[in-house]
Amino acid sequence: MTPLKKLFPLFLCFLLAWSCVPAAKKKDRDIEKKITGLVSKMTLEEKIGQMTLVSCSNIPEDEQFSEALRKGHIGSVINEVDPARVNSFQKIAVEESRLGIPLIVGRDVIHGFKTIFPIPLGLAATFNPSLVEQGARAAAMEATSAGVRWTFSPMLDISRDPRWGRISEGFGEDTYLASVMGVAMIRGYQGTDPGDPTSLAACVKHFVGYGAAEGGRDYNSTFLPERVLRNVYLPPFLAGIQAGAMTLMTSFNDNDGVPMTGNRFLVRDLLRDEWNYNGFVVSDWASVNEMIPHGFAADQAHAARLALEAGVDMDMMSFAYITQLEKLIKEGAVSEKLVDEAVRNILRVKFLLGLFDNPYVQEDLHKEMFYNPHHMELSRQSAVQSAVLLCNDGTLPLDEQKIRSVLVTGPMADAPYDQLGTWVFDALEQTTATPLKAIREHYGHQMRVIYEPGLKYSRDKDRSGIRKAVASARAADVVIAFVGEESILSGEAHCLASLDLQGAQDELIEALQSTGKPVITVVMAGRPLTIEKEISASNALLYSFHPGTMGGVALADLIFGKEVPSGRLPVTFPKTTGQIPLYYNHNRTGRPFLGNETMLDQIPLKAGQTSLGNTSFYLDAGAAPLFPFGFGLSYTTFAYTNIRIDQVSYTQKDTLTLSFDLTNTGKAAATEVAQLYVCDKTGSVTRPVKELKRFERIALEPGETRSVSWELPISELAFWNLQMKRVVESGQFELWVAGDSDSGEPVLFEVNN
Ligand code: NOJ
């Protein structure tokens, strides 16, 4: 055999192996090749241009802007939502710049673009990831039809402080719930093929710890040790990245003294090297420059160097890279290799989004996308499922056959802008279905609907309207009061030191109660408010986080029983702000609250120092919240029986099977959110009293019983231990299955490694 013939079988094997390489891997390799080719042709100026993100709303002169695009000084833009203008910018970048690299157009599409969904905190309350995914897909269809291909969402910051205005933008206090919801949103935005023109690149933000701002004041410092970061704050980001989130944003806070935009350990070492993230990292708005007032960078050049070295690929609105990097590189202070890496990360996303092949948007597509009836129905369903019934003496649901007149009152009853919530730039206020409008349209033919707002807006202190509302209440069979917060009271930089209802709203509720008429209170807000007083002054109280475009229809349907409440609290509700931070999954203490402690008003005069209980509680507020995480009532009741696990002892390779029967013991067909919590009783470091590990929405007819079975791989009980290793430690565990984080009986099991 000639040597060539000998080699032939080898060659065949190679060909075979080559053709078996999965198509996705081949596509990735092709993209990397294209990136290498492109980067080799780029000037340093063009590279830094790719690393620069500019907002159209801050650029006054169009000609200057066009020239910057033409020269390749701007790689991406935000805040342009007119498809014709998007195309004209794209045309300059693609057809008039030297290398024709397309722009990415970004926008804060946080909970919908035109059709607005409940705020993310409300979406978390649905405990329905599939619905959240569908909503995000609808938002992506609408936004991409305007030419937007990148959103700065989801916000995956765990927040345990409702004073922080941005608690509204996240999925609450729980790591597992936030991870599941974040993944659902990313899937919805990006769809199955990022290259499809309806795919909207997600941006997981704000990396990391931003929600733990000290005192709940935005932009404040955080003090999160590595173990807390790894156990609580980082997992939603890891889940998001594993789900394919194409971009990530650094946060404004400094953690233990290091601003996140210059945090090399977390952004470069952990995100890139440990997690192998290959999307791009964008700074938050001006957060490169803000390292100067932080006192971390001496000047803009220093800030640019710190951010680049930390691994921030794109500078949003600091103009620090474009003004400083070239000089720094020429002086040898910064390696051009870092710039090349950053550009590669950015170009990779542009290729994946298919922007090189298909940079333009079809300019009339939005006509069939905006407020599409399917999106509006998803918005209604999301609002229905996000509302949480917190108390009800049987007044709800109202029977429309029996009621002759209803008073609709309160500043949020007809507030089309405010019910949409924070971060709404693109929706048209007139498309909002307010509760007043919905009650009139859908239920008004059966009964007289009287409207007397009582107060004009949530902060209103003019009490003259309250008298009129009270007079109208006397003439009605039942009162529905819509109170809460205007949208401007939550969101970025909108923090509050007091979480009581604003203005004279508490007086309005009290005055209505004094009429003796049944009072249904609906709170529409961007955060948990301290509503203990309103709970006792109301026959029923529904908590609706700002519910979005179709919120009014959803709430009317819930009030009149066309729908049954199924939302559950994604955050603990404190009785008073003095209890904050208050979250269900706190670590076990040496002296837990027992419930039999002496409270403030029971303390005898000159009581001895040790006579009051010596446990972890407040003399005036106890230790319990007003409502626990996971809580929410229904128009029916549910019973959990026959709860069992398949073994009593497991190894870390095993999977635990939990089975239980769930029965609808009431009279309404309804959905329960069944929840599984686990406690690791002893660890090399103290562990949380409980942690959510699974949940499922289960719909049941009255009297129906369903046998449910869930699997929990023991590996999911791992945590970062004393040696900073992620492990499952041997020992005893307890689990609970129940309708909230404070119910159920523990079931014991063991893990033996
Ligand atoms: C600042 C906010 O912190 C961030 O969440 C947002 O995406 C950017 N501005 C862009 O608007």
Side-chain angles (χ1 to χ4, degrees):
M1 218 179 342
T2 62
L4 218 60
K5 274 192 182 154
K6 264 196 208 158
L7 282 177
F8 189 67
L10 260 178
F11 178 66
L12 264 186
C13 286
F14 174 75
L15 262 189
L16 205 68
W18 179 257
S19 61
C20 289
V21 173
K25 279 233 167 93
K26 186 165 175 317
K27 193 176 160 202
D28 287 351
R29 263 209 307 261
D30 288 349
I31 288 180
E32 295 307 315
K33 252 173 81 183
K34 285 184 191 161
I35 295 173
T36 307
L38 201 49
V39 173
S40 70
K41 290 190 215 140
M42 291 169 85
T43 62
L44 183 55
E45 206 183 13
E46 285 164 339
K47 290 178 190 170
I48 300 169
Q50 285 304 304
M51 297 163 69
T52 301
L53 171 62
V54 172
S55 167
C56 296
S57 54
N58 290 62
I59 294 294
E61 282 174 51
D62 263 7
E63 204 23 63
Q64 202 183 327
F65 183 62
S66 306
E67 197 45 29
L69 290 177
R70 212 166 278 125
K71 287 191 175 146
H73 289 176
I74 297 174
S76 300
V77 297
I78 66 171
N79 296 337
E80 183 51 69
V81 291
D82 171 355
R85 273 171 64 86
V86 166
N87 278 348
S88 74
F89 295 155
Q90 201 65 285
K91 188 163 184 292
I92 301 174
V94 172
E95 296 174 32
E96 298 172 30
S97 78
R98 197 177 71 91
L99 293 169
I101 302 175
L103 302 165
I104 308 186
V105 179
R107 180 69 155 174
D108 286 286
V109 180
I110 307 296
H111 49 114
F113 183 66
K114 291 286 178 183
T115 308
I116 300 300
F117 293 84
I119 54 170
L121 193 58
L123 291 174
T126 67
F127 279 71
N128 189 342
S130 147
L131 189 58
V132 169
E133 181 173 339
Q134 292 174 62
R137 187 87 288 270
M141 300 294 283
E142 294 190 359
T144 54
S145 77
V148 174
R149 292 297 304 277
W150 179 26
T151 177
F152 305 102
S153 169
M155 186 185 101
L156 299 179
D157 298 311
I158 299 299
S159 175
R160 295 166 166 186
D161 193 332
R163 293 171 300 181
W164 189 53
R166 301 196 83 167
I167 194 171
S168 54
E169 293 176 53
F171 300 118
E173 74 189 28
D174 183 72
T175 303
Y176 177 72
L177 180 63
S179 304
V180 171
M181 290 304 185
V183 166
M185 241 187 189
I186 292 161
R187 288 199 180 125
Y189 287 143
Q190 297 190 172
T192 45
D193 172 10
D196 188 279
T198 68
S199 173
L200 186 64
C203 180
V204 288
K205 71 185 189 186
H206 306 85
F207 193 79
V208 59
Y210 182 44
E214 202 178 38
R217 286 194 306 285
D218 212 357
Y219 315 121
N220 220 355
S221 299
T222 58
F223 298 94
L224 299 167
E226 185 179 341
R227 197 180 344 274
V228 174
L229 282 172
R230 288 189 181 273
N231 281 329
V232 179
Y233 290 84
L234 285 166
F237 287 92
L238 181 57
I241 282 164
Q242 286 171 343
M246 284 192 260
T247 75
L248 173 142
M249 187 188 291
T250 57
S251 54
F252 288 124
N253 57 300
D254 66 303
N255 187 48
D256 195 16
V258 185
M260 288 309 306
T261 299
N263 198 315
R264 199 179 169 135
F265 166 59
L266 288 167
V267 184
R268 188 173 289 281
D269 301 351
L270 184 130
L271 180 70
R272 290 285 178 204
D273 301 345
E274 194 179 316
W275 291 1
N276 292 321
Y277 179 56
N278 76 348
F280 72 73
V281 175
V282 63
S283 77
D284 201 344
W285 187 288
S287 69
V288 178
N289 282 351
E290 285 170 17
M291 288 195 279
I292 306 169
H294 261 299
F296 190 69
D299 52 29
Q300 200 186 36
H302 189 196
R305 179 164 69 77
L306 287 170
L308 183 66
E309 286 175 352
V312 174
D313 303 312
M314 192 184 277
D315 165 0
M316 184 200 299
M317 291 305 287
S318 283
F319 300 97
Y321 283 0
I322 198 83
T323 27
Q324 305 293 342
L325 280 186
E326 191 167 353
K327 190 161 170 274
L328 285 170
I329 289 162
K330 290 196 171 140
E331 284 167 354
V334 169
S335 152
E336 190 167 347
K337 255 180 70 193
L338 293 181
V339 168
D340 287 355
E341 262 174 38
V343 174
R344 291 190 73 92
N345 293 333
I346 294 164
L347 292 177
R348 186 174 302 118
V349 170
K350 292 189 174 183
F351 275 112
L352 284 171
L353 284 173
L355 287 167
F356 282 89
D357 298 327
N358 199 2
Y360 299 114
V361 57
Q362 188 190 318
E363 286 179 23
D364 57 356
L365 190 62
H366 62 89
K367 290 188 190 141
E368 57 195 83
M369 293 300 170
F370 293 176
Y371 303 108
N372 175 298
H374 172 57
H375 303 171
M376 295 289 261
E377 173 53 17
L378 285 172
S379 160
R380 189 194 70 86
Q381 280 176 26
S382 306
V384 164
Q385 295 183 23
S386 67
V388 187
L389 182 63
L390 292 179
C391 72
N392 184 18
D393 64 3
T395 300
L396 282 179
L398 294 180
D399 183 344
E400 46 179 322
Q401 306 305 327
K402 293 197 184 132
I403 291 182
R404 284 160 298 133
S405 61
V406 58
L407 168 67
V408 174
T409 182
M412 296 297 286
D414 196 29
Y417 173 74
D418 288 312
Q419 80 175 50
L420 298 179
T422 184
W423 283 113
V424 171
F425 299 126
D426 300 299
L428 301 171
E429 193 181 311
Q430 59 272 29
T431 57
T432 305
T434 66
L436 175 67
K437 192 168 158 202
I439 292 172
R440 277 186 176 147
E441 268 174 29
H442 300 278
Y443 299 93
H445 46 279
Q446 301 273 20
M447 65 194 74
R448 196 170 146 236
V449 179
I450 310 162
Y451 174 55
E452 192 58 66
L455 297 163
K456 293 195 185 74
Y457 57 102
S458 71
R459 287 164 296 149
D460 193 0
K461 295 192 182 90
D462 175 356
R463 286 143 178 99
S464 56
I466 297 183
R467 275 193 301 275
K468 291 191 211 156
V470 166
S472 302
R474 293 212 164 89
D477 291 345
V478 60
V479 175
I480 317 176
F482 293 88
V483 293
E485 290 183 311
E486 297 149 71
S487 61
I488 193 65
L489 300 186
S490 61
E492 186 178 345
H494 298 142
C495 305
L496 288 169
S498 162
L499 299 180
D500 292 343
L501 283 177
Q502 295 291 329
Q505 294 185 97
D506 57 340
E507 292 172 40
L508 172 67
I509 302 291
E510 267 174 45
L512 294 167
Q513 184 209 20
S514 69
T515 63
K517 294 293 167 87
V519 176
I520 297 156
T521 302
V522 180
V523 182
M524 289 162 135
R527 53 157 69 79
L529 294 174
T530 43
I531 48 163
E532 195 169 17
K533 258 194 337 197
E534 288 69 34
I535 289 282
S536 30
S538 310
N539 295 76
L541 190 143
L542 251 182
Y543 207 92
S544 162
F545 299 99
H546 288 135
T549 307
M550 292 295 279
V553 180
L555 290 165
D557 289 348
L558 286 163
I559 290 167
F560 288 98
K562 194 169 154 200
E563 299 281 0
V564 177
S566 60
R568 297 291 184 266
L569 296 180
V571 273
T572 302
F573 270 45
K575 289 186 240 176
T576 163
T577 42
Q579 290 179 298
I580 297 168
L582 190 65
Y583 48 96
Y584 85 95
N585 44 2
H586 59 85
N587 278 2
R588 288 157 69 99
T589 67
R591 294 193 180 184
F593 181 63
L594 300 171
N596 57 5
E597 287 79 353
T598 308
M599 301 300 290
L600 195 71
D601 294 332
Q602 304 157 339
I603 304 177
L605 290 179
K606 299 201 174 159
Q609 175 67 34
T610 56
S611 63
L612 306 181
N614 277 354
T615 68
S616 179
F617 78 114
Y618 294 102
L619 290 174
D620 53 351
L626 184 59
F627 295 106
F629 175 88
F631 179 82
L633 299 170
S634 171
Y635 294 154
T636 189
T637 45
F638 297 97
Y640 291 79
T641 53
N642 213 5
I643 299 170
R644 60 215 182 271
I645 51 178
D646 59 337
Q647 296 175 49
V648 285
S649 179
Y650 300 87
T651 71
Q652 54 176 316
K653 294 201 185 75
D654 291 339
T655 291
L656 175 154
T657 304
L658 162 76
S659 309
F660 59 95
D661 295 337
L662 182 69
T663 306
N664 179 342
T665 46
K667 295 202 175 75
T671 297
E672 167 72 328
V673 179
Q675 301 158 41
L676 167 64
Y677 295 89
V678 176
C679 171
D680 182 348
K681 292 187 71 178
T682 320
S684 57
V685 291
T686 54
R687 304 287 298 124
V689 290
K690 275 184 185 181
E691 286 178 297
L692 183 68
K693 292 290 176 189
R694 285 283 180 283
F695 58 84
E696 188 181 339
R697 291 175 59 89
I698 301 168
L700 294 173
E701 293 299 318
E704 186 186 349
T705 297
R706 174 99 45 92
S707 294
V708 183
S709 177
W710 287 342
E711 299 209 321
L712 179 71
I714 296 295
S715 57
E716 287 189 32
L717 304 177
F719 68 100
W720 291 84
N721 73 356
L722 191 60
Q723 286 74 36
M724 208 59 88
K725 297 244 153 50
R726 192 172 178 276
V727 291
V728 184
E729 292 184 341
S730 297
Q732 290 203 322
F733 290 76
E734 284 174 332
L735 69 77
W736 297 255
V737 59
D740 65 66
S741 63
D742 195 30
S743 304
E745 291 301 321
V747 177
L748 270 174
F749 67 94
E750 266 178 24
V751 174
N752 291 303
N753 290 321

